[in-house]
Amino acid sequence: MKIAFDNFIHRTFYRWGFIAYRFRFVLFVVPILLTIALSFGFIFIKAQTTIDPQYVFSPKNAKWRYEKEILSQHWPLNEQEFWPGKSYDYNGYVDIIAAGKKHPKFGRPNMLRIEYLDELERINQHIINNITIPVTHNNIAYKVGFTDLCMSYDWKCFMNEHVIMLMPKERWTTFDSKFAEFADDIITNEVKITYPIGWRGTEPIYFGALIGAPHLIDKEGHFDYVRAVRLTYNVRDDKVSNISYLWRKKVASYLSDVEQPPSKILEFGMFHNESLPEGLQQVADILAPKFITGIGVDDMFIMSAAWHRTSTQHHVSRRLAEMLAEAAVAISITSFTDMLNRAILKQCNN
């Protein structure tokens, strides 16, 4: 004789109700003690947790992991031979997109206007020279800034020299009169400000990654309008990762200060290597308590309603058995779907 699934569940939960009542003290105390014991795992959770979305939201056999390993093997990061855009495996960066404040009628102004470039260079120099992190070593206090933390090439930091190059050539530097004509000839013939690639002698400058929405005026790539200019700061992450992290956070705080904005004519957009992980973590911190609280709450309402439908004339053990029997199917379905959901997520991440 075949027994219907729901009848089997009803009978099983009905019997479990009497067992649960009989061992109610054990079933009340053991979960509390088990929760306390397992809670000690939170001591080690920080060391074993990553908020890097690349690792959290992608499977272990994802193709990008293999590709990243190949790139790291063939083009390893050397913090003393670093050039922006030519490395694939670095974490200590802050990218800033600067644009003039939008006019309600005319839109974004031309960032090539000298007042905007001067303001951008002022911001750039402030970040390089004035944003520091206090550090104490051997009872001596130091102020660590960008030039102490930067990744370099031939011991020189990348300091966003392209901002100066976008200015009129007479603003680049001041030469002695006997060298002025010679220098002007070099600048005119050896330096080309073109899009997407400019040249400083034999050194290419990829303006395609440094300016946004240019208006080209000839086939060579000269431009007379730029909507936005990028600033980038790359700091070491090996032995000074904590200090670099604090410096990047301080830069972000400086540029995002609403009460005392860094500029009256410029607006900034930022992205650093902690932007996405921190954003996801903020969402998780907000939603996690709600999800945790919600687990099992639906079953609680079902059981509470079923309990109130039992007869008060019956013994507590029978009322408990009848309550569990009535809520059995709903509890089983929700529990099974929760386990199935977690199993699928676990399989996808393997």
Side-chain angles (χ1 to χ4, degrees), residues 9 27 40 74 81 105 134 147 181 183 185 209 216 220 226 228 231 234 263 270 272 297 311:
I9 294 295
L27 294 176
F40 284 98
H74 292 277
E81 295 183 4
K105 184 176 181 180
T147 53
E181 184 177 351
D185 182 67
L216 305 183
E220 293 183 3
V226 168
L231 302 178
N234 300 280
S263 175
M270 287 175 294
H272 52 86
V297 172
S311 175

mmCIF file of all heavy atoms in Angstrom, residues 9 27 40 74 81 105 134 147 181 183 185 209 216 220 226 228 231 234 263 270 272 297 311:
data_model
loop_
_atom_site.group_PDB
_atom_site.id
_atom_site.type_symbol
_atom_site.label_atom_id
_atom_site.label_comp_id
_atom_site.label_asym_id
_atom_site.label_seq_id
_atom_site.Cartn_x
_atom_site.Cartn_y
_atom_site.Cartn_z
ATOM 1 N N ILE A 9 4.873 12.665 6.040
ATOM 2 C CA ILE A 9 5.450 13.808 6.745
ATOM 3 C C ILE A 9 4.621 14.149 7.977
ATOM 4 O O ILE A 9 5.153 14.414 9.065
ATOM 5 C CB ILE A 9 5.550 15.030 5.807
ATOM 6 C CG1 ILE A 9 6.560 14.751 4.691
ATOM 7 C CG2 ILE A 9 5.958 16.283 6.575
ATOM 8 C CD1 ILE A 9 7.977 14.571 5.165
ATOM 9 N N LEU A 27 16.811 19.457 24.235
ATOM 10 C CA LEU A 27 16.682 20.177 22.968
ATOM 11 C C LEU A 27 16.713 21.690 23.150
ATOM 12 O O LEU A 27 16.922 22.426 22.188
ATOM 13 C CB LEU A 27 15.375 19.771 22.273
ATOM 14 C CG LEU A 27 15.307 18.316 21.804
ATOM 15 C CD1 LEU A 27 13.929 18.009 21.231
ATOM 16 C CD2 LEU A 27 16.381 18.038 20.762
ATOM 17 N N PHE A 40 33.013 30.798 18.816
ATOM 18 C CA PHE A 40 34.442 31.088 18.952
ATOM 19 C C PHE A 40 35.128 31.142 17.585
ATOM 20 O O PHE A 40 36.240 31.658 17.467
ATOM 21 C CB PHE A 40 35.115 30.032 19.837
ATOM 22 C CG PHE A 40 34.827 30.206 21.300
ATOM 23 C CD1 PHE A 40 33.843 29.459 21.921
ATOM 24 C CD2 PHE A 40 35.532 31.136 22.048
ATOM 25 C CE1 PHE A 40 33.568 29.620 23.271
ATOM 26 C CE2 PHE A 40 35.264 31.307 23.405
ATOM 27 C CZ PHE A 40 34.276 30.551 24.017
ATOM 28 N N HIS A 74 54.329 36.043 -16.789
ATOM 29 C CA HIS A 74 55.095 36.627 -17.889
ATOM 30 C C HIS A 74 55.347 38.125 -17.706
ATOM 31 O O HIS A 74 56.329 38.652 -18.238
ATOM 32 C CB HIS A 74 54.374 36.380 -19.213
ATOM 33 C CG HIS A 74 54.354 34.930 -19.618
ATOM 34 N ND1 HIS A 74 55.407 34.327 -20.272
ATOM 35 C CD2 HIS A 74 53.418 33.961 -19.435
ATOM 36 C CE1 HIS A 74 55.118 33.050 -20.489
ATOM 37 N NE2 HIS A 74 53.912 32.807 -19.997
ATOM 38 N N GLU A 81 60.063 49.174 -11.215
ATOM 39 C CA GLU A 81 60.067 49.324 -12.671
ATOM 40 C C GLU A 81 58.624 49.326 -13.168
ATOM 41 O O GLU A 81 58.229 48.544 -14.026
ATOM 42 C CB GLU A 81 60.870 48.202 -13.337
ATOM 43 C CG GLU A 81 62.357 48.235 -13.002
ATOM 44 C CD GLU A 81 63.133 47.156 -13.730
ATOM 45 O OE1 GLU A 81 62.516 46.445 -14.554
ATOM 46 O OE2 GLU A 81 64.340 47.017 -13.481
ATOM 47 N N LYS A 105 22.822 74.729 -18.889
ATOM 48 C CA LYS A 105 22.469 75.012 -20.280
ATOM 49 C C LYS A 105 23.537 74.539 -21.256
ATOM 50 O O LYS A 105 23.221 73.997 -22.318
ATOM 51 C CB LYS A 105 22.229 76.516 -20.459
ATOM 52 C CG LYS A 105 21.757 76.907 -21.849
ATOM 53 C CD LYS A 105 21.458 78.398 -21.927
ATOM 54 C CE LYS A 105 20.969 78.795 -23.322
ATOM 55 N NZ LYS A 105 20.682 80.246 -23.414
ATOM 56 N N PRO A 134 50.683 59.793 9.319
ATOM 57 C CA PRO A 134 51.678 59.794 10.399
ATOM 58 C C PRO A 134 52.095 58.367 10.759
ATOM 59 O O PRO A 134 51.255 57.488 10.939
ATOM 60 C CB PRO A 134 50.935 60.475 11.555
ATOM 61 C CG PRO A 134 49.482 60.253 11.266
ATOM 62 C CD PRO A 134 49.347 60.217 9.775
ATOM 63 N N THR A 147 55.172 60.334 -2.485
ATOM 64 C CA THR A 147 56.509 60.057 -3.011
ATOM 65 C C THR A 147 57.239 58.997 -2.199
ATOM 66 O O THR A 147 58.203 58.396 -2.683
ATOM 67 C CB THR A 147 57.347 61.344 -3.048
ATOM 68 O OG1 THR A 147 57.339 61.953 -1.751
ATOM 69 C CG2 THR A 147 56.778 62.326 -4.066
ATOM 70 N N GLU A 181 65.273 79.351 -27.232
ATOM 71 C CA GLU A 181 65.007 79.026 -28.636
ATOM 72 C C GLU A 181 65.264 77.549 -28.910
ATOM 73 O O GLU A 181 64.486 76.885 -29.605
ATOM 74 C CB GLU A 181 65.884 79.888 -29.539
ATOM 75 C CG GLU A 181 65.599 79.679 -31.026
ATOM 76 C CD GLU A 181 66.438 80.597 -31.898
ATOM 77 O OE1 GLU A 181 67.106 81.509 -31.346
ATOM 78 O OE2 GLU A 181 66.426 80.394 -33.127
ATOM 79 N N ALA A 183 65.153 75.094 -26.681
ATOM 80 C CA ALA A 183 64.125 74.312 -25.989
ATOM 81 C C ALA A 183 62.810 74.362 -26.746
ATOM 82 O O ALA A 183 62.104 73.355 -26.866
ATOM 83 C CB ALA A 183 63.940 74.833 -24.568
ATOM 84 N N ASP A 185 62.400 74.681 -29.894
ATOM 85 C CA ASP A 185 62.521 73.833 -31.082
ATOM 86 C C ASP A 185 62.316 72.367 -30.721
ATOM 87 O O ASP A 185 61.648 71.619 -31.444
ATOM 88 C CB ASP A 185 63.893 74.044 -31.718
ATOM 89 C CG ASP A 185 64.047 73.219 -32.993
ATOM 90 O OD1 ASP A 185 63.340 73.517 -33.971
ATOM 91 O OD2 ASP A 185 64.863 72.271 -32.982
ATOM 92 N N ALA A 209 43.840 56.945 -22.483
ATOM 93 C CA ALA A 209 43.485 56.552 -21.122
ATOM 94 C C ALA A 209 43.544 57.712 -20.145
ATOM 95 O O ALA A 209 43.284 57.527 -18.957
ATOM 96 C CB ALA A 209 44.427 55.443 -20.643
ATOM 97 N N LEU A 216 38.353 65.998 -31.873
ATOM 98 C CA LEU A 216 39.505 65.975 -32.765
ATOM 99 C C LEU A 216 39.316 66.998 -33.882
ATOM 100 O O LEU A 216 38.218 67.163 -34.420
ATOM 101 C CB LEU A 216 39.691 64.577 -33.353
ATOM 102 C CG LEU A 216 39.816 63.427 -32.340
ATOM 103 C CD1 LEU A 216 40.068 62.115 -33.060
ATOM 104 C CD2 LEU A 216 40.913 63.700 -31.326
ATOM 105 N N GLU A 220 45.604 63.833 -37.636
ATOM 106 C CA GLU A 220 46.737 63.466 -36.786
ATOM 107 C C GLU A 220 46.320 63.225 -35.341
ATOM 108 O O GLU A 220 47.071 62.632 -34.569
ATOM 109 C CB GLU A 220 47.804 64.562 -36.844
ATOM 110 C CG GLU A 220 48.461 64.699 -38.212
ATOM 111 C CD GLU A 220 49.556 65.750 -38.200
ATOM 112 O OE1 GLU A 220 49.817 66.322 -37.105
ATOM 113 O OE2 GLU A 220 50.145 66.000 -39.257
ATOM 114 N N VAL A 226 38.239 68.796 -24.321
ATOM 115 C CA VAL A 226 38.297 67.585 -23.496
ATOM 116 C C VAL A 226 37.259 67.734 -22.393
ATOM 117 O O VAL A 226 37.212 68.764 -21.715
ATOM 118 C CB VAL A 226 39.705 67.390 -22.882
ATOM 119 C CG1 VAL A 226 39.673 66.318 -21.812
ATOM 120 C CG2 VAL A 226 40.701 67.022 -23.964
ATOM 121 N N ALA A 228 36.883 65.517 -19.745
ATOM 122 C CA ALA A 228 37.382 65.056 -18.446
ATOM 123 C C ALA A 228 38.849 64.678 -18.564
ATOM 124 O O ALA A 228 39.336 64.349 -19.654
ATOM 125 C CB ALA A 228 36.569 63.867 -17.941
ATOM 126 N N LEU A 231 43.423 61.467 -13.365
ATOM 127 C CA LEU A 231 44.608 61.437 -12.514
ATOM 128 C C LEU A 231 44.730 60.029 -11.951
ATOM 129 O O LEU A 231 43.724 59.414 -11.587
ATOM 130 C CB LEU A 231 44.496 62.438 -11.360
ATOM 131 C CG LEU A 231 44.282 63.913 -11.711
ATOM 132 C CD1 LEU A 231 44.151 64.736 -10.438
ATOM 133 C CD2 LEU A 231 45.417 64.441 -12.571
ATOM 134 N N ASN A 234 49.565 55.409 -8.091
ATOM 135 C CA ASN A 234 49.867 54.000 -7.856
ATOM 136 C C ASN A 234 50.886 53.889 -6.729
ATOM 137 O O ASN A 234 52.006 54.399 -6.840
ATOM 138 C CB ASN A 234 50.423 53.363 -9.131
ATOM 139 C CG ASN A 234 49.441 53.440 -10.284
ATOM 140 O OD1 ASN A 234 48.517 52.658 -10.384
ATOM 141 N ND2 ASN A 234 49.641 54.425 -11.160
ATOM 142 N N SER A 263 37.381 71.657 -4.503
ATOM 143 C CA SER A 263 37.406 72.612 -5.612
ATOM 144 C C SER A 263 36.023 73.211 -5.816
ATOM 145 O O SER A 263 35.004 72.536 -5.626
ATOM 146 C CB SER A 263 37.875 71.926 -6.898
ATOM 147 O OG SER A 263 37.795 72.807 -7.997
ATOM 148 N N MET A 270 35.794 58.826 -8.461
ATOM 149 C CA MET A 270 36.946 58.055 -7.990
ATOM 150 C C MET A 270 36.688 56.565 -8.087
ATOM 151 O O MET A 270 35.553 56.109 -7.987
ATOM 152 C CB MET A 270 37.253 58.400 -6.528
ATOM 153 C CG MET A 270 37.862 59.746 -6.298
ATOM 154 S SD MET A 270 38.025 60.048 -4.524
ATOM 155 C CE MET A 270 36.306 60.117 -4.032
ATOM 156 N N HIS A 272 39.075 53.159 -6.621
ATOM 157 C CA HIS A 272 40.319 52.555 -6.147
ATOM 158 C C HIS A 272 40.081 51.072 -5.941
ATOM 159 O O HIS A 272 38.954 50.583 -6.079
ATOM 160 C CB HIS A 272 40.820 53.232 -4.862
ATOM 161 C CG HIS A 272 39.791 53.324 -3.771
ATOM 162 N ND1 HIS A 272 39.573 52.312 -2.873
ATOM 163 C CD2 HIS A 272 38.921 54.307 -3.446
ATOM 164 C CE1 HIS A 272 38.612 52.665 -2.028
ATOM 165 N NE2 HIS A 272 38.196 53.869 -2.357
ATOM 166 N N VAL A 297 11.871 32.435 10.228
ATOM 167 C CA VAL A 297 10.775 33.229 10.779
ATOM 168 C C VAL A 297 9.449 32.816 10.156
ATOM 169 O O VAL A 297 8.413 32.778 10.837
ATOM 170 C CB VAL A 297 11.043 34.736 10.562
ATOM 171 C CG1 VAL A 297 9.826 35.559 10.939
ATOM 172 C CG2 VAL A 297 12.242 35.173 11.387
ATOM 173 N N SER A 311 -6.430 22.296 20.552
ATOM 174 C CA SER A 311 -7.351 22.402 21.689
ATOM 175 C C SER A 311 -6.582 22.598 22.989
ATOM 176 O O SER A 311 -5.620 21.875 23.270
ATOM 177 C CB SER A 311 -8.205 21.131 21.789
ATOM 178 O OG SER A 311 -9.014 21.173 22.959
#
